[in-house]
Amino acid sequence: MPYRHVVALGSSFAAGPGIPPVVDRVAGRSGHNYAHLVAEGLGARLTDLTVSGATTATILETPQRVARTTYPPQVSGVPADADLVTLTAGGNDLGYLASVLRLAWANRFRRHWWTRPLGNRLARGPVPVLDTDVVVDGLGAIVEAVRARAPEARVVLVDYLTIFDEKITAEPFDQAQHRALRALGRRVNGAFVLAAQNTGADLIQASVLSAAHGVGTPEEWVNGFRRSSAAFHPNAAGMRAIADELLLTLAAT
């Protein structure tokens, strides 16, 4: 089946902050995120609605305010002629990247006496252990809303690239933080499996694909710690790997 109109929904792991070329700086949206690469590979038109910081709620029904720009709920932009819709979201619902960044900065600040008090304050909060039902339900609701707007669309859930390798403790985290953040990442990605089962949507497990490509590995698909919005987010190699897997899956089915 030829795909003619791809639609991308999701948060920063779909948008691709920091990967050139930047097509929407406020949204942190790259012209080389996986949806752009897939559309290019298919020779299809692309409607990219991704916005960094999105939650399942801002994709489904709540406008998202970023700086001075307000983005409408992403689902409202899905056109009726869409025949392929990709979706990566849910990590922000559970505070995944927020926890990663908070602890990274806490550990960096604690290295110097003049910033140590701030680092200690940032480090006090635990890594959240929350019920993933909000993500499962949110992803499911988005899938159903997409199908209502574009009945012929094939919906593909794409989970999160692995940030933390099983054996390599990423800089600047200690081993306990590494274990807790890795466990939170597994919970986020586990929600995608349940959502796919509940809705019949397709699932690309980027987490499995990237298991040996976390921060600190010889071939990283995710950026390490840096002073930018791209910290602990997919790099160009990670986006290309997801796109290639998606194209292979589409070709095989």
Side-chain angles (χ1 to χ4, degrees):
M1 166 183 177
Y3 294 96
R4 296 183 175 86
H5 194 168
V6 180
V7 176
L9 306 175
S11 58
S12 55
F13 265 58
I19 302 173
V22 176
V23 296
D24 186 327
R25 191 168 300 279
V26 177
R29 188 183 301 155
S30 168
H32 278 170
N33 61 30
Y34 72 75
H36 276 82
L37 298 174
V38 166
E40 180 182 335
L42 295 171
R45 186 155 50 103
L46 173 66
T47 297
D48 189 351
L49 301 167
T50 59
V51 181
S52 296
T55 64
T56 56
T58 62
I59 294 172
L60 185 64
E61 59 189 1
T62 305
Q64 182 180 351
R65 179 80 172 176
V66 184
R68 296 182 178 180
T69 302
T70 299
Y71 293 92
Q74 293 178 32
V75 164
S76 68
V78 176
D81 69 343
D83 47 24
L84 176 63
V85 178
T86 62
L87 170 62
T88 301
N92 292 326
D93 296 52
L94 298 183
Y96 182 29
L97 267 296
S99 297
V100 172
L101 292 169
R102 174 176 61 81
L103 291 177
W105 280 109
N107 292 339
R108 182 60 60 88
F109 287 145
R110 291 163 86 181
R111 292 178 177 179
H112 307 288
W113 67 265
W114 60 89
T115 55
R116 192 166 298 139
L118 175 58
N120 289 336
R121 285 197 296 273
L122 287 173
R124 283 177 191 158
V127 174
V129 180
L130 302 174
D131 192 337
T132 58
D133 284 353
V134 65
V135 178
V136 177
D137 294 345
L139 292 173
I142 294 167
V143 171
E144 295 309 315
V146 167
R147 287 172 173 164
R149 295 184 65 89
E152 301 302 318
R154 179 177 184 178
V155 183
V156 181
L157 306 180
V158 181
D159 75 0
Y160 285 69
L161 287 168
T162 295
I163 300 176
F164 299 104
D165 183 83
E166 184 176 357
K167 298 179 181 178
I168 299 173
T169 300
E171 166 70 21
F173 306 98
D174 62 34
Q175 290 185 1
Q177 292 169 340
H178 180 270
R179 286 194 299 271
L181 291 169
R182 183 171 168 79
L184 179 55
R186 287 196 300 268
R187 290 174 64 81
V188 171
N189 287 323
F192 280 77
V193 175
L194 293 175
Q197 292 173 351
N198 291 346
T199 62
D202 292 293
L203 173 63
I204 297 293
Q205 290 185 287
S207 57
V208 175
L209 184 69
S210 61
H213 297 280
V215 175
T217 60
E219 187 183 354
E220 297 177 330
W221 288 356
V222 175
N223 298 313
F225 187 43
R226 57 181 64 183
R227 295 185 181 185
S228 79
S229 60
F232 303 108
H233 280 79
N235 59 25
M239 287 296 188
R240 169 54 68 184
I242 294 173
D244 288 347
E245 184 68 12
L246 244 168
L247 289 168
L248 283 173
T249 299
L250 296 173
T253 53

